[in-house]
Amino acid sequence: MRVCILGGGTAGWMTAAALSKKLKNVVKSIALVESEAIGTIGVGEATLPHIRFFNEGLGIDEAAFMQETNATFKLGIEFCDWGAIGDRYVHPFGDFGQTINDLAFYQHLLKLRKQGDYGVLNDYAFGIVAAKNDKFQFPHQGKTDLQRAFGYAYQFDAGLYAKFLRRFCETNGVRRIEGKVVDTLLDSGSGNVTSITLDDGQQIYADIFIDCSGFRGVLIEQALKSGYQDWSKWLPCNRAVAVPCERNGDLSPYTRATARKAGWQWRIPLQHRTGNGLVYWDEFMSDDEASSVLLNNLDGPALDEPKQLFFKTGRRNHFWKNNVVAIGLAGGFLEPLESTSIHLIQEGITNLLELFPHDTNSELDSAEYNSRMALQFERVRDFLLLHYVATKRDDSEMWRYFSNMTLPDSLQEKIDMWLHRGYVQRYQFGAFLPPSWVAVMMGQNLLPKHYDPRVDNSNFEQVKHQSQVMRADIAAGVSSAKTQADFLSAMGAASNAEILRAK
Ligand SMILES: Cc1cc2nc3c(=O)[nH]c(=O)nc-3n(C[C@H](O)[C@H](O)[C@H](O)COP(=O)(O)OP(=O)(O)OC[C@H]3O[C@@H](n4cnc5c(N)ncnc54)[C@H](O)[C@@H]3O)c2cc1C
């Protein structure tokens, strides 16, 4: 099989890297076409922990990768002003506290919180307490189970990550071709793409094409007319303005998402700068207002002109159609509130590897691929929407829009079950496990009417004592951990030790 990947953004180079490593003896050749004149989207800096397994699968050295991409560790996302103005909580990567009598700790906390000062859920996660103290250590360095019970991801410069992967790919035999696709040739019988034509007249033939051309969807949409499911009625934010600024203060190992009147603002600290952006709904905020809200809420001086981006939330009807598989923005887009896009690229790649076809007759493979990816997208959509509807906010037109919304059945059922008895339904495909749902629902004060009745089986005095021991255990672990800046320097991941110091 000859593979042609169209696009050299994060999606294109991640796909090329994985295919060149994992299908070395399966594919005959891999070509990647990209156009410097068109460029990449230039955002996408925060990730989920799964990316570590992607890098590990390629045999990438963590310290070298972090140094070359100016990466920092990410222990979660801090959400400010979401449940109500003034509220803040962190959604970490991992669970909270320890199971007591076979019941998740949050169930006990639902009872404890009525009885005195037992803190909030966030006090029972090592990752969160470390994050809020700008500390970091690897999970395996924890001395107790609680100090090991967390995951981590990265925040990095996406442009540098693509360059890093490009070097990896070129040493693994991927042929990069510069040029702009101006035409696509379809087979009149099968409807498959047989070749693409570049602006210099070159024609590239392949058996399977991976469309990583970004929002344009050059092959999946422009050529094959897959069609798009528009989810704007649930996630109506449709614009963003982004700008990097100088870093200020200690290097925090977490992303921040602050709710605004018609959207929300992100803050992503990297080693050499802080990435910022405002995602908003143009119905209730003008581009000028968005830029001014963003520029007035930076840690330090802006390092560039604000960059404007436009998008429509949703997904292609078919991610895989004929012999074209769309990965990345070409397949669909959900706003970056939980840093899920790069994760969905990774899911697309993993599923493609598992279902890589024997020949161009791939209807069974594509059907399975499409149903898996559709579930992934829908479940991320529901999780994102949860942040907008689990709130008491009604202080602007956008928040009032959400309070009157009819939710997708899948989300409504999940919320109903939670409110009824504090239970979170589990499923096989989907990025977010029950602790993530609990983090957001409790963090935004969406509390169940009843805790699990089995909570009352436990000796309450013992539970109170255990909860105090847990908090002390976490505090002790965090106090002996290094600051993230010292940790990066010690592991050889700092691109420049000087820039890590607090400013
Ligand atoms: C506001 C915003 C914030 C985001 N933040 C995050 C985040 O924090 N975390 C996260 O995981 N994701 C985030 N994302 C998503 C993330 O940016 C993308 O998933 C990621 O960058 C992958 O993009 P891509 O490679 O699919 O497309 P692009 O980066 O747009 O790359 C497309 C490629 O196709 C090429 N191309 C297009 N047309 C042609 C043509 N005709 N001929 C030749 N080449 C062509 C281009 O030159 C380019 O190389 C964010 C997105 C937005 C809009």
Side-chain angles (χ1 to χ4, degrees), residues 10 36 40 42 78 106 149 174 209 230 236 287 339-340 343 415 473:
T10 309
E36 265 174 34
T40 64
E78 181 181 42
Y106 76 86
V174 176
F209 288 83
D230 182 349
D287 297 343
S339 320
T340 42
H343 172 71
I415 291 179
D473 179 352

Side-chain angles (χ1 to χ4, degrees), residues 81-227:
D81 299 336
W82 283 85
I85 292 176
D87 279 4
R88 54 180 62 209
Y89 70 95
V90 178
H91 166 204
F93 304 124
D95 212 341
F96 297 92
Q98 282 171 317
T99 308
I100 301 177
N101 293 337
D102 297 332
L103 266 184
F105 178 71
Y106 76 86
Q107 288 283 2
H108 296 280
L109 190 64
L110 288 169
K111 179 172 176 180
L112 278 173
R113 52 186 290 284
K114 296 183 180 151
Q115 310 281 328
D117 182 18
Y118 290 93
V120 292
L121 199 56
N122 273 202
D123 301 331
Y124 295 88
F126 179 88
I128 297 179
V129 181
K132 296 299 295 178
N133 285 281
D134 301 321
K135 300 278 190 90
F136 185 81
Q137 69 186 21
F138 289 128
H140 67 82
Q141 292 172 317
K143 293 188 179 62
T144 64
D145 287 347
L146 261 184
Q147 294 173 21
R148 286 190 282 266
F150 69 97
Y152 71 90
Y154 309 110
Q155 303 162 138
F156 56 55
D157 183 321
L160 295 178
Y161 186 52
K163 283 194 182 129
F164 181 84
L165 290 179
R166 176 177 163 182
R167 282 197 298 281
F168 174 94
C169 290
E170 287 179 331
T171 52
N172 270 288
V174 176
R175 186 166 68 103
R176 176 190 177 276
I177 302 167
E178 171 64 33
K180 184 176 168 191
V181 174
V182 290
D183 198 12
T184 307
L185 213 69
L186 302 185
D187 179 83
S188 56
S190 65
N192 283 353
V193 173
T194 49
S195 70
I196 51 178
T197 311
L198 307 189
D199 49 357
D200 63 0
Q202 257 190 97
Q203 248 179 323
I204 319 289
Y205 291 85
D207 303 300
I208 181 159
F209 288 83
I210 319 291
D211 188 351
C212 298
S213 64
F215 287 135
R216 288 175 178 79
V218 173
L219 305 179
I220 196 75
E221 196 58 57
Q222 292 176 18
L224 293 187
K225 315 271 182 262
S226 166

Side-chain angles (χ1 to χ4, degrees), residues 6 25 33 60 79 86 106 205 222 304 343 375 394 422 428 438 490:
L6 173 59
N25 301 321
V33 177
I60 286 172
F79 289 92
Y106 76 86
Y205 291 85
Q222 292 176 18
D304 213 337
H343 172 71
L375 270 183
D394 62 357
Q428 188 192 352
V438 172

Side-chain angles (χ1 to χ4, degrees), residues 37-97:
I38 295 176
T40 64
I41 190 159
V43 282
E45 300 180 327
T47 63
L48 295 183
H50 314 66
I51 195 162
R52 283 166 42 215
F53 309 114
F54 181 81
N55 284 352
E56 275 169 31
L58 298 179
I60 286 172
D61 176 73
E62 186 174 46
F65 144 76
M66 292 189 78
Q67 190 181 70
E68 290 199 36
T69 59
N70 269 308
T72 52
F73 292 108
K74 175 180 170 190
L75 290 166
I77 303 179
E78 181 181 42
F79 289 92
C80 304
D81 299 336
W82 283 85
I85 292 176
D87 279 4
R88 54 180 62 209
Y89 70 95
V90 178
H91 166 204
F93 304 124
D95 212 341
F96 297 92

